[in-house]
Amino acid sequence: MKLSSIRYLTKEGVRNIWANRLMSLASIGVLVACMVIMGLAVLISENVNVAIGNLEEQNVVMVYMKDYNWALYGKEDTEDTSSTTSDTTSATPEETKKEEAEKADENGIKPSDYIIHDEKEAKALCAEIQKLDNIASVVYVSSEEGLESVKESMLEGQEEYFSFLDDENPMSCAAKVTMKDMARFDETIKQIKKLSGVERIVSQSDLASTINAIKQGVGVAGFWIIAILMIISLVIVSNTIRVTMYNRKLEISIMKAVGATDAFVRIPFIVEGMIIGLISAVISEVLLYFCYRVATETIIGTLGTTDIVKYGDMALILFALFAGIGIIAGVLGSAIMIGKYLKREGSEFAAI
């Protein structure tokens, strides 16, 4: 197709919009409403993801270790005396010599009674946890730090009643673990439990399930909102093109009579649909900016929070979304409608 023909067809598409400006204006208004709702859905989804990210950071898993304090205060005595005697009787001379060399301290605790003997081994276990796929961060927490954390969580004045724990700290050392994906929470917990030296895990599994459910719900809702509004956009553009086609019915029949191809007839209507979509995208971007700005200023002033997605960070993404939806709706709506018209009404062109 020649460049002059493309220019002519483009001008015809613009002329169609002006000739049917009331219907075009109505289509742009409906498309703008649909796009603004889509944009709000995207922005709400992003803000929910930010809020959920903050919840995930707060949903810390504490992994307590099998250290000396665990052996002294928390280890259950489940050993069977008869079996121990049997094992001792059947032990080799080397094993017997080793057991005799391992002396218990004043509390009756032997080094073999626990796995984590010092800070170096505790940090080595933290490193093993860090190697797991779904681990975002691991922070070593000594028994002293753990006790201080417990005191800080108490009501004012209560910590005085537990001052005796400073001399006999019962807290085991631990690892503060944060995960990347809460959907893999249970799987990751099982992996951590398999590591040697892990005594128990304290977590908020209910919160993890809630976070995962919110993520899935927001994703599904956003998909259906965009899908439904996309269908509405197609219908609106198609109706606008239909009005334009019937207003130019005689002109189209003359074009077909002198040998114009279907593509030559279609292009002005496709251009019309694309221009309507792009105009709607620009208006939607500007309108959404002011709506979101007012909403965020109100939220910040009322709640005092600053964990809100900035519009500037999403501006290009939203405009690309609006432009894409507008162009797709315009092209598909125009192509479908003019295609049906040429197929069903084609016999009338020759009769006019």
Side-chain angles (χ1 to χ4, degrees):
M1 186 177 293
K2 296 180 180 180
L3 182 61
S4 58
S5 298
I6 295 175
R7 289 177 179 174
Y8 167 76
L9 295 174
T10 303
K11 289 180 181 178
E12 285 297 302
V14 175
R15 187 174 71 85
N16 289 345
I17 295 175
W18 179 251
N20 299 278
R21 50 188 174 274
L22 291 179
M23 190 64 189
S24 298
L25 186 61
S27 298
I28 290 172
V30 176
L31 281 175
V32 167
C34 292
M35 289 180 182
V36 168
I37 295 174
M38 289 182 189
L40 288 174
V42 172
L43 290 171
I44 291 172
S45 176
E46 286 299 313
N47 280 286
V48 169
N49 286 334
V50 170
I52 289 175
N54 293 334
L55 282 177
E56 288 179 339
E57 291 178 359
Q58 296 173 10
N59 188 28
V60 175
V61 176
M62 295 301 298
V63 180
Y64 290 95
M65 304 180 186
K66 294 181 178 179
D67 60 0
Y68 183 86
N69 283 347
W70 164 76
L72 180 59
Y73 297 105
K75 184 178 179 182
E76 296 181 359
D77 187 8
T78 57
E79 295 181 354
D80 187 357
T81 307
S82 60
S83 60
T84 304
T85 305
S86 176
D87 292 340
T88 305
T89 305
S90 60
T92 62
E94 291 79 6
E95 292 174 343
T96 303
K97 185 177 180 180
K98 184 178 179 180
E99 290 178 1
E100 290 177 351
E102 188 180 54
K103 296 181 180 180
D105 61 10
E106 65 276 8
N107 295 315
I109 304 299
K110 299 178 182 179
S112 60
D113 291 336
Y114 53 99
I115 299 175
I116 305 300
H117 299 91
D118 50 34
E119 183 176 323
K120 182 179 179 181
E121 293 182 353
K123 290 184 176 180
L125 178 56
C126 291
E128 289 296 319
I129 297 174
Q130 183 69 70
K131 292 178 182 178
L132 299 177
D133 294 336
N134 193 36
I135 301 301
S137 65
V138 179
V139 178
Y140 170 69
V141 180
S142 65
S143 59
E144 292 77 13
E145 292 172 338
L147 181 59
E148 288 299 321
S149 178
V150 171
K151 287 183 178 181
E152 290 174 1
S153 65
M154 295 178 181
L155 297 176
E156 186 177 355
Q158 286 186 346
E159 64 272 9
E160 296 178 2
Y161 298 103
F162 296 90
S163 58
F164 68 93
L165 294 178
D166 294 335
D167 297 326
E168 296 182 4
N169 183 1
M171 299 291 295
S172 295
C173 56
K176 185 186 294 184
V177 179
T178 305
M179 299 183 191
K180 297 177 182 177
D181 185 4
M182 298 308 294
R184 299 175 57 192
F185 182 85
D186 293 335
E187 172 192 346
T188 307
I189 290 295
K190 291 179 181 178
Q191 292 176 345
I192 295 174
K193 286 181 177 179
K194 292 179 181 179
L195 297 176
S196 177
V198 174
E199 184 258 317
R200 61 189 172 93
I201 299 175
V202 177
S203 63
Q204 296 177 325
S205 57
D206 293 339
L207 180 58
S209 301
T210 302
I211 291 173
N212 190 36
I214 292 174
K215 276 187 174 181
Q216 293 179 349
V218 170
V220 171
F223 170 80
W224 282 110
I225 288 173
I226 293 176
I228 292 171
L229 293 178
M230 185 67 187
I231 294 173
I232 294 174
S233 301
L234 284 173
V235 172
I236 295 301
V237 173
S238 298
N239 288 334
T240 303
I241 300 302
R242 176 183 290 179
V243 172
T244 305
M245 284 190 307
Y246 279 99
N247 288 340
R248 300 184 62 192
K249 185 175 181 179
L250 179 60
E251 183 180 345
I252 293 173
S253 66
I254 294 174
M255 291 170 64
K256 292 291 292 184
V258 297
T261 62
D262 288 347
F264 191 86
V265 175
R266 284 191 178 99
I267 288 176
F269 298 101
I270 293 176
V271 170
E272 179 184 355
M274 290 177 62
I275 293 175
I276 289 175
L278 288 174
I279 293 175
S280 301
V282 173
I283 296 174
S284 300
E285 182 81 4
V286 176
L287 185 60
L288 184 60
Y289 166 74
F290 287 105
C291 292
Y292 188 70
R293 180 178 177 180
V294 172
T296 52
E297 288 178 353
T298 303
I299 292 172
I300 293 173
T302 304
L303 302 179
T305 180
T306 57
D307 292 333
I308 297 177
V309 176
K310 295 180 180 179
Y311 189 85
D313 297 336
M314 299 293 297
L316 291 178
I317 297 175
L318 289 172
F319 183 75
L321 175 65
F322 293 157
I325 291 173
I327 292 174
I328 291 172
V331 172
L332 288 180
S334 305
I336 292 172
M337 192 52 59
I338 190 64
K340 289 182 178 180
Y341 186 82
L342 292 175
K343 184 177 180 180
R344 296 179 182 178
E345 306 291 338
S347 59
E348 295 184 4
F349 296 150
I352 296 178

